[in-house]
Amino acid sequence: MEKQSDSVQTAKTAILNTVANCISLVVGMIMIPIITRILSVEQMGIANTFMSTRNTVVIIITCAVYAYVHKAMIEFKNDKKSYIFSIVIFCFFSVTISFGICSLFKNQLMKLLSLDEFLFYWLFISCLGFALYSIADYYCIFQNKYYIVTLIVLSVGPVSQFLSVGLSFVFYNNKYIGRVIGLDFVYLLVSLCLILWMFVGHKPKFKGKYIKNTLSFTIPIIPHLLSQMVLTQCDLVMISYFCGNDKSGIYSMGHTVGFLALTVMSQITASWSPWVYRRMENKEYKTIFENSKLIVLTGAYISMGLLTISTELIRLFLTDAYRLCIYIVPTLVVAMFFQFIYIFIYDFQFFNKRAKSIAVSSVAAAVFNLITNYVCIPKFGFLAAGFTTLASYFVLLMINYLYTLKMGINRIYDVKKMIIWTVAVGVYAIICVVLKDVIVVRYGIFIIMSFVLLKIKFRDLLEMVQGLR
């Protein structure tokens, strides 16, 4: 009964999380034409480059301690609040020390990271806010606090978008600053709520052993996290360098649309991963095997849905300056589906504390991405970045799969079904590109496919819905 309750709570968290994220995505898509008319292509490039820089720097200066929260909730299940308190204190300490050191090399770092004076100082505030937000988010998801998670998602999405637009008018001469502050505001607000929560009820204690235990895993995995940043952000940085901020701005919007499917799927896996860790702890492998089939199918369907409507999204919400995104999005959607499948394999390795194999495979994929971007972008133009990203995620997926073969990955997941759906998404992407101007046929294919899948999976969906009552 307890297992059933856990599964129901997890399903509710995943569903509400996904619904909230879909609302956020709709608002985000509505805001895109507004943002692209308020900010120039170059200003958009500066703001997106800063966020990419923040996402990389936060990993280094906090040692990515937030990435261990899910596993720690199982290891230290009797002292969760003290664990959260300990890593929050560590984040404050590490960001403060990093700021002090970096201030000594301020001018050099501003030039290296393409920051003005404001963005240099804001970088450290942003890093702390993002780290504490991630800790709070991971904790709430693990605990199946689905109402809080939903509120956080809606705040990070619509609220941040509205603020970023409003503040762009406040900082009229430097509109990118308004966008950056607006997007970071909710992270800082959630961080403040986390700090206040720690002093409600019984007082937590700082325990150095929690930091030591966490760092023993997260430090070896830092190359993996940095490599993931390279895979997601290297193309933007290199396009800025080789082709200019205007082309980076165009690609970044294609990037935004191409990542929509993964954004939704990530909300599902955010609840799925801790559920899997709890099942693995109890060696309930058959349960994982059966339930993962529906999750993979859902990811494939979402990806195909985005591929179907992406051309109309771009034409409807973006100006003519971004029209080339029509050719960028399909490759990135397929690449993100590779990343979605990789998350299943990553969870298996993460639970078994295979930090070295995770890091080695990610570094190999990142190096491959760097080399191919360096060679292909100057030679073929910025559109080549989509194909190098696709190839890099395929390399990442294959290396990790080969690593886990001996560990018994095939008894945890239905790998054959994963391969079938991966090929299906790839083929469907090609069809959508070919039929980009034939809207009736494209939508007709998707509708027919939807009815077929509904007929096949109707019973499974009905059982899931009944289980949520």
Side-chain angles (χ1 to χ4, degrees):
M1 194 69 183
E2 183 180 345
K3 293 176 184 177
Q4 185 180 7
S5 177
D6 178 51
S7 297
V8 169
Q9 295 299 312
T10 301
K12 286 182 178 179
T13 303
I15 292 171
L16 285 175
N17 203 4
T18 303
V19 170
N21 208 264
C22 288
I23 294 171
S24 298
L25 289 176
V26 170
V27 173
M29 291 305 300
I30 293 172
M31 296 300 290
I32 283 176
I34 299 173
I35 294 168
T36 53
R37 285 167 174 79
I38 295 173
L39 274 72
S40 68
V41 172
E42 184 174 359
Q43 289 174 326
M44 184 70 74
I46 293 171
N48 287 332
T49 300
F50 171 81
M51 303 310 290
S52 300
T53 302
R54 188 279 310 279
N55 291 342
T56 302
V57 172
V58 70
I59 293 171
I60 298 171
I61 65 178
T62 66
C63 297
V65 292
Y66 49 83
Y68 197 68
V69 170
H70 282 166
K71 191 72 168 67
M73 293 299 96
I74 294 175
E75 290 188 20
F76 312 119
K77 57 186 176 183
N78 297 321
D79 199 16
K80 294 175 182 177
K81 197 169 186 178
S82 290
Y83 175 82
I84 298 296
F85 178 74
S86 299
I87 61 174
V88 166
I89 295 299
F90 175 83
C91 287
F92 269 103
F93 179 78
S94 61
V95 171
T96 302
I97 295 298
S98 298
F99 173 71
I101 295 172
C102 291
S103 295
L104 301 175
F105 307 96
K106 176 183 170 184
N107 293 330
Q108 295 90 328
L109 288 172
M110 285 173 61
K111 185 177 180 181
L112 177 66
L113 301 176
S114 301
L115 304 172
D116 60 22
E117 190 160 1
F118 173 83
L119 291 180
F120 174 81
Y121 290 112
W122 186 259
L123 176 64
F124 297 92
I125 297 172
S126 180
C127 284
L128 180 61
F130 182 80
L132 298 191
Y133 158 81
S134 298
I135 292 169
D137 191 43
Y138 286 142
Y139 174 79
C140 290
I141 288 173
F142 186 91
Q143 295 294 111
N144 286 321
K145 306 286 186 182
Y146 44 85
Y147 290 123
I148 297 176
V149 171
T150 301
L151 181 62
I152 290 175
V153 172
L154 290 175
S155 298
V156 171
V159 174
S160 292
Q161 291 291 345
F162 291 134
L163 277 173
S164 68
V165 170
L167 290 174
S168 295
F169 287 105
V170 175
F171 296 89
Y172 189 79
N173 294 323
N174 297 295
K175 293 181 179 180
Y176 62 90
I177 292 179
R179 177 154 178 79
V180 166
I181 294 176
L183 293 177
D184 275 338
F185 177 80
V186 174
Y187 293 150
L188 297 174
L189 183 61
V190 172
S191 300
L192 178 61
C193 292
L194 175 66
I195 294 169
L196 293 175
W197 168 78
M198 289 189 300
F199 294 98
V200 174
H202 76 276
K203 299 298 185 290
K205 295 180 180 179
F206 178 84
K207 297 185 179 180
K209 67 177 182 179
Y210 291 160
I211 304 301
K212 182 179 179 181
N213 187 284
T214 300
L215 293 178
S216 68
F217 183 82
T218 60
I219 289 178
I221 214 173
I222 285 176
H224 155 73
L225 296 173
L226 291 176
S227 298
Q228 287 289 303
M229 294 309 305
V230 169
L231 286 172
T232 56
Q233 308 297 341
C234 171
D235 43 9
L236 288 171
V237 175
M238 284 203 173
I239 289 171
S240 294
Y241 181 78
F242 287 117
C243 306
N245 282 331
D246 57 335
K247 295 296 189 293
S248 176
I250 293 171
Y251 187 83
S252 70
M253 292 313 299
H255 207 266
T256 299
V257 178
F259 272 55
L260 289 177
L262 182 65
T263 303
V264 175
M265 293 185 292
S266 295
Q267 303 310 312
I268 298 172
T269 56
S271 302
W272 165 263
S273 294
W275 180 86
V276 166
Y277 299 152
R278 293 192 288 269
R279 300 289 82 74
M280 286 185 182
E281 183 77 7
N282 298 325
K283 302 187 185 303
E284 298 171 29
Y285 302 132
K286 186 177 180 181
T287 303
I288 299 172
F289 188 92
E290 293 301 324
N291 284 277
S292 64
K293 295 178 185 179
L294 186 58
I295 302 296
V296 172
L297 171 59
T298 302
Y301 183 77
I302 291 171
S303 299
M304 290 177 175
L306 178 58
L307 286 167
T308 304
I309 66 173
S310 62
T311 299
E312 284 66 51
L313 287 177
I314 293 164
R315 288 173 175 167
L316 180 63
F317 291 108
L318 298 178
T319 62
D320 290 340
Y322 295 92
R323 197 50 52 90
L324 285 173
C325 291
I326 291 173
Y327 302 98
I328 297 170
V329 170
T331 53
L332 292 180
V333 173
V334 179
M336 291 308 97
F337 187 73
F338 286 161
Q339 172 70 353
F340 171 67
I341 296 298
Y342 162 75
I343 292 172
F344 291 89
I345 301 174
Y346 170 83
D347 284 341
F348 183 58
Q349 290 179 289
F350 185 88
F351 180 81
N352 289 286
K353 293 190 174 183
R354 300 299 178 96
K356 290 183 180 179
S357 64
I358 292 173
V360 168
S361 59
S362 295
V363 169
V367 170
F368 178 84
N369 186 252
L370 282 168
I371 293 172
T372 53
N373 273 328
Y374 185 81
V375 171
C376 295
I377 291 175
K379 188 174 182 179
F380 301 107
F382 74 101
L383 293 179
F387 294 95
T388 60
T389 299
L390 174 63
S392 300
Y393 277 107
F394 178 75
V395 169
L396 176 68
L397 180 60
M398 291 308 300
I399 293 175
N400 277 276
Y401 174 63
L402 293 174
Y403 262 125
T404 54
L405 267 177
K406 292 182 179 179
M407 296 169 58
I409 188 72
N410 290 318
R411 66 191 171 96
I412 305 295
Y413 300 119
D414 190 340
V415 176
K416 289 182 180 179
K417 287 286 179 64
M418 289 181 171
I419 294 172
I420 290 171
W421 283 116
T422 301
V423 172
V425 171
V427 171
Y428 192 78
I430 295 171
I431 293 172
C432 286
V433 172
V434 173
L435 299 175
K436 68 181 188 301
D437 295 319
V438 192
I439 185 172
V440 175
V441 177
R442 187 160 26 94
Y443 279 76
I445 293 172
F446 184 73
I447 291 170
I448 292 171
M449 181 185 67
S450 299
F451 277 117
V452 171
L453 288 176
L454 181 61
K455 184 177 181 180
I456 295 172
K457 291 294 180 180
F458 179 76
R459 183 174 296 178
D460 292 338
L461 292 172
L462 184 62
E463 289 178 358
M464 183 184 74
V465 171
Q466 289 175 340
L468 296 176
R469 292 176 180 175

